Amino acid sequence: MKGQGHPKQVTLKHLYIENQKMIGLLFYPDKIIQALVKQLPNVKWSTQYEMAFIPNNDKNLNLIFDTFKGVCWVNCSHFFPNKPINISNEELSVDSFRKRKPKAGWRYCPEDFYQKLEIRKYALNTAKIYIQLFEKFINHFPEKENLMDLNEYKIRNYLQTLVQSGKSDSYVNQSINAIKFYYEVVHEMPNRFYSIERPIKTESLPRVLSQEQVFRIIDNTHNLKHRCIVSLLYSAGLRRGELIDLKLEDVISDRMLLRVNNGKGRKDRYTLLSESILADLRKYYKRYKPLKYLFEGVSGEKYSASSVGKIVVRSARKAKIIQRVTPHMLRHSFATHLLENGIDLRQIQSLLGHNTLRTTEIYTHVAVRGMNKIKNPLDLRKT
């Protein structure tokens, strides 16, 4: 209510009641709004959702706007989809999933799930994860159960089984994303499951290597192609997928830059090209003669992500690094070492392709610049 500091507004929500799409009307108690809501046709009250609702159709939607015009704000931020379609030129096909042979007792994703992934040009890895996790979700329920009839209570119970079985927070979050994709994107009911809680995000710090450790790893990578891969991961701060997507024309030697196309979030960016790695890349090009991608497999196809991981692990083992090293640790190390050398955080954000500075700020917690100058209190004890 106005006296309690609440703005006058009616928030529209997607509801699914008695096999019908409904428009939920959520508002703080207000005599004028309540009187106007009662005038709407076939309006009912949901005890479960604690809001009024009417059938979802264009006529009723227009009537809501006309009814509350000039009286209060109609908040549609939870009602209309606002996520843009990806604009990547690369088409996505999930035919390998679509053409699977039927397996007795296993429910596959419905066709409209596949179609929406393709139309919106989701990244292939994201599409695979959504398909796999959504199928695990629907196979948790009897085959006769209509997917549209599943409510928040049943979804919460399913998520609880994931937690109880020891699934990680990331796995649970991705499962929620896959479930919400079906109901909110495929069936165009944004924010239908608005009260599904996500696991509290763990604020874990990135694992980084010292510069001396990174140099040891590179020095112990004797194969020229493999050394270029390891060196680029570190010197350009690349994600594994960004590295294997690099094409020959992305090496811009006259400006000492690397162009990263369709990075995370479908964003292009430029990052650093090391002079020392450029010399190795020229030797590599003359020896291996790649045709399209900078790093290609035996048959000329894009180099595999798993092979990149194995190269890093093997070189780190040869360098006698005790902890298990991943390609992403080299990216973390790149950012941390730049910060320790006084590079501005916003420049690091741009090189890494982070959406927000807050993501990049995590490296301030692992950088040791200045910290190694602090005298430990134990060392202050007089001998």
Side-chain angles (χ1 to χ4, degrees):
M1 291 187 298
K2 193 174 181 180
Q4 295 176 338
H6 296 303
K8 277 195 176 186
Q9 69 171 350
V10 174
T11 300
L12 305 188
K13 300 278 188 177
H14 279 283
L15 302 179
Y16 193 74
I17 300 174
E18 296 179 353
N19 299 320
Q20 247 192 314
K21 290 183 178 181
M22 300 290 181
I23 303 173
L25 299 107
L26 185 64
F27 55 91
Y28 288 104
D30 181 278
K31 289 182 180 179
I32 296 175
I33 294 178
Q34 286 173 325
L36 291 174
V37 167
K38 287 179 181 178
Q39 294 176 17
L40 296 172
N42 302 314
V43 66
K44 295 180 181 178
W45 178 263
S46 169
T47 304
Q48 179 184 359
Y49 298 108
E50 296 184 334
M51 66 180 75
F53 65 91
I54 60 174
N56 187 341
N57 56 56
D58 291 341
K59 183 179 178 181
N60 280 346
L61 188 57
N62 290 329
L63 184 60
I64 288 171
F65 289 119
D66 291 339
T67 300
F68 296 105
K69 186 177 181 180
V71 178
C72 66
W73 174 46
V74 179
N75 182 356
C76 303
S77 61
H78 303 284
F79 196 79
F80 295 113
N82 56 13
K83 187 174 181 180
I85 294 176
N86 287 322
I87 57 174
S88 165
N89 290 326
E90 294 187 14
E91 292 186 5
L92 167 71
S93 172
V94 292
D95 274 350
S96 58
F97 287 93
R98 187 183 274 119
K99 294 176 180 178
R100 288 173 293 173
K101 293 181 180 179
K103 187 166 63 174
W106 186 258
R107 301 171 76 180
Y108 289 143
C109 281
E111 174 59 25
D112 52 5
F113 194 98
Y114 299 138
Q115 288 178 352
K116 191 64 78 169
L117 285 170
E118 291 173 333
I119 290 170
R120 295 179 72 96
K121 297 183 179 179
Y122 272 67
L124 182 58
N125 284 341
T126 303
K128 287 179 179 178
I129 291 170
Y130 277 22
I131 291 169
Q132 291 164 359
L133 294 181
F134 188 68
E135 287 186 354
K136 288 183 180 180
F137 165 69
I138 61 180
N139 282 282
H140 179 77
F141 301 94
E143 190 171 351
K144 63 182 179 181
E145 191 149 12
N146 188 326
L147 297 181
M148 291 301 291
D149 290 339
L150 297 178
N151 55 31
E152 294 189 18
Y153 175 76
K154 290 181 179 179
I155 292 176
R156 275 201 208 93
N157 281 349
Y158 171 73
L159 296 174
Q160 188 176 17
T161 62
L162 296 183
V163 174
Q164 291 172 343
S165 65
K167 298 297 184 186
S168 67
D169 290 350
S170 174
Y171 187 97
V172 175
N173 265 318
Q174 288 178 325
S175 297
I176 294 173
N177 291 341
I179 294 166
K180 288 170 77 69
F181 174 81
Y182 178 71
Y183 293 104
E184 301 189 357
V185 179
V186 176
H187 283 278
E188 299 181 343
M189 298 176 69
N191 220 52
R192 176 184 166 193
F193 299 114
Y194 54 87
S195 64
I196 295 294
E197 301 88 358
R198 291 181 181 271
I200 297 173
K201 190 174 180 181
T202 304
E203 294 290 340
S204 55
L205 294 176
R207 292 189 300 142
V208 301
L209 301 161
S210 68
Q211 282 187 297
E212 188 270 337
Q213 286 177 314
V214 173
F215 296 153
R216 273 166 44 202
I217 291 173
I218 294 172
D219 291 342
N220 279 277
T221 310
H222 303 299
N223 177 285
L224 177 59
K225 182 177 184 178
H226 295 174
R227 186 166 69 249
C228 288
I229 286 172
V230 174
S231 298
L232 273 182
L233 284 169
Y234 171 68
S235 66
L238 298 176
R239 299 178 177 94
R240 189 184 332 199
E242 293 170 346
L243 175 108
I244 61 178
D245 281 340
L246 285 174
K247 296 184 173 67
L248 296 176
E249 61 267 25
D250 295 329
V251 180
I252 308 171
S253 58
D254 57 337
R255 297 176 62 198
M256 295 309 293
L257 293 173
L258 272 180
R259 179 180 170 88
V260 180
N261 299 295
N262 289 323
K264 191 173 181 181
R266 298 286 188 184
K267 296 191 301 294
D268 296 345
R269 73 178 191 277
Y270 288 100
T271 185
L272 307 177
L273 175 62
S274 160
E275 289 184 9
S276 60
I277 190 63
L278 180 59
D280 273 349
L281 282 174
R282 284 173 171 155
K283 294 176 188 174
Y284 156 76
Y285 178 76
K286 289 178 181 178
R287 184 180 303 177
Y288 287 86
K289 297 180 173 56
L291 298 175
K292 179 181 178 182
Y293 292 101
L294 184 57
F295 300 108
E296 295 177 340
V298 178
S299 304
E301 75 281 2
K302 190 190 303 183
Y303 208 65
S304 75
S306 60
S307 295
V308 173
K310 290 174 183 176
I311 290 168
V312 173
V313 169
R314 187 164 55 244
S315 296
R317 193 180 298 125
K318 288 181 180 177
K320 301 191 184 316
I321 308 294
I322 297 174
Q323 60 182 316
R324 180 177 173 81
V325 179
T326 66
H328 215 69
M329 283 176 68
L330 295 174
R331 173 177 160 87
H332 288 321
S333 302
F334 164 80
T336 305
H337 298 161
L338 286 180
L339 188 61
E340 289 174 341
N341 283 291
I343 304 301
D344 182 74
L345 206 57
R346 290 195 179 276
Q347 287 182 298
I348 299 173
Q349 175 193 357
S350 175
L351 292 172
L352 293 176
H354 285 162
N355 275 329
T356 66
L357 192 62
R358 186 165 180 253
T359 307
T360 317
E361 284 174 347
I362 190 72
Y363 297 107
T364 62
H365 299 289
V366 291
V368 296
R369 183 183 60 178
M371 194 180 296
N372 50 11
K373 296 179 182 178
I374 301 173
K375 194 73 172 175
N376 190 293
L378 183 61
D379 297 333
L380 297 175
R381 184 175 62 176
K382 294 180 180 179
T383 56

PDB file of all heavy atoms in Angstrom, residues 16-22 146 148-149:
ATOM      1  N   TYR A  16      -0.509 -21.784 -14.713  1.00  0.00           N
ATOM      2  CA  TYR A  16      -1.112 -22.891 -15.462  1.00  0.00           C
ATOM      3  C   TYR A  16      -2.049 -23.621 -14.510  1.00  0.00           C
ATOM      4  O   TYR A  16      -1.616 -24.325 -13.592  1.00  0.00           O
ATOM      5  CB  TYR A  16      -0.030 -23.836 -15.991  1.00  0.00           C
ATOM      6  CG  TYR A  16      -0.531 -24.817 -17.021  1.00  0.00           C
ATOM      7  CD1 TYR A  16      -0.809 -24.389 -18.321  1.00  0.00           C
ATOM      8  CD2 TYR A  16      -0.723 -26.152 -16.706  1.00  0.00           C
ATOM      9  CE1 TYR A  16      -1.263 -25.290 -19.281  1.00  0.00           C
ATOM     10  CE2 TYR A  16      -1.170 -27.057 -17.656  1.00  0.00           C
ATOM     11  CZ  TYR A  16      -1.444 -26.621 -18.950  1.00  0.00           C
ATOM     12  OH  TYR A  16      -1.895 -27.504 -19.896  1.00  0.00           O
ATOM     13  N   ILE A  17      -3.339 -23.409 -14.672  1.00  0.00           N
ATOM     14  CA  ILE A  17      -4.342 -23.918 -13.737  1.00  0.00           C
ATOM     15  C   ILE A  17      -5.414 -24.671 -14.522  1.00  0.00           C
ATOM     16  O   ILE A  17      -5.946 -24.156 -15.511  1.00  0.00           O
ATOM     17  CB  ILE A  17      -4.986 -22.760 -12.937  1.00  0.00           C
ATOM     18  CG1 ILE A  17      -3.902 -22.024 -12.130  1.00  0.00           C
ATOM     19  CG2 ILE A  17      -6.079 -23.277 -12.010  1.00  0.00           C
ATOM     20  CD1 ILE A  17      -4.398 -20.775 -11.421  1.00  0.00           C
ATOM     21  N   GLU A  18      -5.701 -25.893 -14.089  1.00  0.00           N
ATOM     22  CA  GLU A  18      -6.719 -26.741 -14.721  1.00  0.00           C
ATOM     23  C   GLU A  18      -6.502 -26.830 -16.242  1.00  0.00           C
ATOM     24  O   GLU A  18      -7.404 -26.599 -17.043  1.00  0.00           O
ATOM     25  CB  GLU A  18      -8.126 -26.217 -14.412  1.00  0.00           C
ATOM     26  CG  GLU A  18      -8.464 -26.288 -12.922  1.00  0.00           C
ATOM     27  CD  GLU A  18      -9.847 -25.736 -12.609  1.00  0.00           C
ATOM     28  OE1 GLU A  18     -10.480 -25.184 -13.533  1.00  0.00           O
ATOM     29  OE2 GLU A  18     -10.287 -25.862 -11.456  1.00  0.00           O
ATOM     30  N   ASN A  19      -5.257 -27.153 -16.600  1.00  0.00           N
ATOM     31  CA  ASN A  19      -4.872 -27.363 -18.002  1.00  0.00           C
ATOM     32  C   ASN A  19      -5.079 -26.129 -18.873  1.00  0.00           C
ATOM     33  O   ASN A  19      -5.295 -26.237 -20.085  1.00  0.00           O
ATOM     34  CB  ASN A  19      -5.654 -28.543 -18.611  1.00  0.00           C
ATOM     35  CG  ASN A  19      -5.382 -29.839 -17.881  1.00  0.00           C
ATOM     36  OD1 ASN A  19      -4.246 -30.108 -17.506  1.00  0.00           O
ATOM     37  ND2 ASN A  19      -6.419 -30.630 -17.668  1.00  0.00           N
ATOM     38  N   GLN A  20      -5.005 -24.953 -18.261  1.00  0.00           N
ATOM     39  CA  GLN A  20      -5.192 -23.719 -19.013  1.00  0.00           C
ATOM     40  C   GLN A  20      -4.154 -22.692 -18.621  1.00  0.00           C
ATOM     41  O   GLN A  20      -3.793 -22.576 -17.441  1.00  0.00           O
ATOM     42  CB  GLN A  20      -6.590 -23.135 -18.719  1.00  0.00           C
ATOM     43  CG  GLN A  20      -7.514 -23.163 -19.920  1.00  0.00           C
ATOM     44  CD  GLN A  20      -8.750 -22.313 -19.666  1.00  0.00           C
ATOM     45  OE1 GLN A  20      -9.374 -22.383 -18.610  1.00  0.00           O
ATOM     46  NE2 GLN A  20      -9.102 -21.499 -20.627  1.00  0.00           N
ATOM     47  N   LYS A  21      -3.668 -21.954 -19.621  1.00  0.00           N
ATOM     48  CA  LYS A  21      -2.775 -20.838 -19.326  1.00  0.00           C
ATOM     49  C   LYS A  21      -3.584 -19.687 -18.757  1.00  0.00           C
ATOM     50  O   LYS A  21      -4.616 -19.312 -19.314  1.00  0.00           O
ATOM     51  CB  LYS A  21      -2.034 -20.385 -20.589  1.00  0.00           C
ATOM     52  CG  LYS A  21      -0.992 -21.367 -21.094  1.00  0.00           C
ATOM     53  CD  LYS A  21      -0.260 -20.795 -22.306  1.00  0.00           C
ATOM     54  CE  LYS A  21       0.828 -21.749 -22.794  1.00  0.00           C
ATOM     55  NZ  LYS A  21       1.558 -21.193 -23.963  1.00  0.00           N
ATOM     56  N   MET A  22      -3.091 -19.143 -17.655  1.00  0.00           N
ATOM     57  CA  MET A  22      -3.767 -18.047 -16.980  1.00  0.00           C
ATOM     58  C   MET A  22      -2.838 -16.848 -16.811  1.00  0.00           C
ATOM     59  O   MET A  22      -1.614 -16.998 -16.795  1.00  0.00           O
ATOM     60  CB  MET A  22      -4.264 -18.493 -15.601  1.00  0.00           C
ATOM     61  CG  MET A  22      -5.251 -19.646 -15.626  1.00  0.00           C
ATOM     62  SD  MET A  22      -6.849 -19.155 -16.321  1.00  0.00           S
ATOM     63  CE  MET A  22      -7.761 -20.709 -16.171  1.00  0.00           C
ATOM     64  N   ASN A 146       1.414 -35.550 -17.941  1.00  0.00           N
ATOM     65  CA  ASN A 146       1.540 -34.420 -18.861  1.00  0.00           C
ATOM     66  C   ASN A 146       2.552 -33.424 -18.300  1.00  0.00           C
ATOM     67  O   ASN A 146       2.447 -33.001 -17.150  1.00  0.00           O
ATOM     68  CB  ASN A 146       0.166 -33.754 -19.032  1.00  0.00           C
ATOM     69  CG  ASN A 146       0.179 -32.693 -20.126  1.00  0.00           C
ATOM     70  OD1 ASN A 146       1.181 -32.011 -20.337  1.00  0.00           O
ATOM     71  ND2 ASN A 146      -0.932 -32.570 -20.824  1.00  0.00           N
ATOM     72  N   MET A 148       2.957 -30.345 -18.843  1.00  0.00           N
ATOM     73  CA  MET A 148       2.380 -29.056 -18.468  1.00  0.00           C
ATOM     74  C   MET A 148       1.662 -29.115 -17.129  1.00  0.00           C
ATOM     75  O   MET A 148       1.373 -28.091 -16.514  1.00  0.00           O
ATOM     76  CB  MET A 148       1.414 -28.576 -19.555  1.00  0.00           C
ATOM     77  CG  MET A 148       2.100 -28.193 -20.853  1.00  0.00           C
ATOM     78  SD  MET A 148       3.322 -26.867 -20.656  1.00  0.00           S
ATOM     79  CE  MET A 148       2.255 -25.486 -20.296  1.00  0.00           C
ATOM     80  N   ASP A 149       1.375 -30.324 -16.658  1.00  0.00           N
ATOM     81  CA  ASP A 149       0.695 -30.473 -15.368  1.00  0.00           C
ATOM     82  C   ASP A 149       1.657 -30.471 -14.182  1.00  0.00           C
ATOM     83  O   ASP A 149       1.224 -30.418 -13.029  1.00  0.00           O
ATOM     84  CB  ASP A 149      -0.118 -31.783 -15.338  1.00  0.00           C
ATOM     85  CG  ASP A 149      -1.333 -31.708 -16.256  1.00  0.00           C
ATOM     86  OD1 ASP A 149      -1.756 -30.572 -16.571  1.00  0.00           O
ATOM     87  OD2 ASP A 149      -1.834 -32.760 -16.672  1.00  0.00           O
TER      88      ASP A 149
END
